[in-house]
Amino acid sequence: MTEKKSQQINIHLGEEVGQGNYCNLSIITFSPSEFILDFATMLPGLSQANVKSRVILTPENAKRLMLTLQENVSRYESNVGPINVQRKMNIEPFSGKGNA
């Protein structure tokens, strides 16, 4: 039986990235080789969302992210209480000129 070694990773969080971006909309697309997560801000009364960040993941890392997020949402709900999701937004991204 092989022994798994724990690896420690040092992470540097620069000041600009550390400030974060407020995002209230995410759009997920995928191909056979990658998942693309766009995080955007949609302001009330406007029909255009501004993408603040794009993250590109391999399918394996996308699944790891999903599992980690599920685990952390469960921990949050155990400590704070259930998260109530009001409704699912069905937004079709506009694929015209000028989109990333």
Side-chain angles (χ1 to χ4, degrees), residues 7-98:
Q7 182 180 10
Q8 183 177 356
I9 300 173
N10 293 319
I11 297 174
H12 171 74
L13 182 62
E15 187 177 331
E16 186 176 325
V17 173
Q19 294 295 314
N21 290 307
Y22 173 75
C23 296
N24 57 6
L25 175 67
S26 62
I27 300 164
I28 301 171
T29 54
F30 60 89
S31 72
S33 60
E34 60 199 14
F35 277 76
I36 300 169
L37 288 69
D38 287 327
F39 297 95
T41 301
M42 182 91 176
L43 297 176
L46 299 179
S47 61
Q48 179 175 337
N50 293 316
V51 175
K52 300 292 185 175
S53 182
R54 171 173 277 187
V55 178
I56 302 170
L57 302 165
T58 64
E60 181 181 359
N61 284 332
K63 190 158 190 177
R64 284 182 177 151
L65 174 63
M66 179 193 72
L67 294 170
T68 302
L69 188 56
Q70 283 177 332
E71 181 181 324
N72 280 275
V73 167
S74 292
R75 286 181 188 170
Y76 174 92
E77 290 182 321
S78 292
N79 291 323
V80 178
I83 300 170
N84 296 316
V85 178
Q86 297 296 326
R87 62 186 176 102
K88 182 178 178 183
M89 293 176 58
N90 293 317
I91 296 175
E92 292 291 326
F94 177 71
S95 60
K97 185 177 178 181

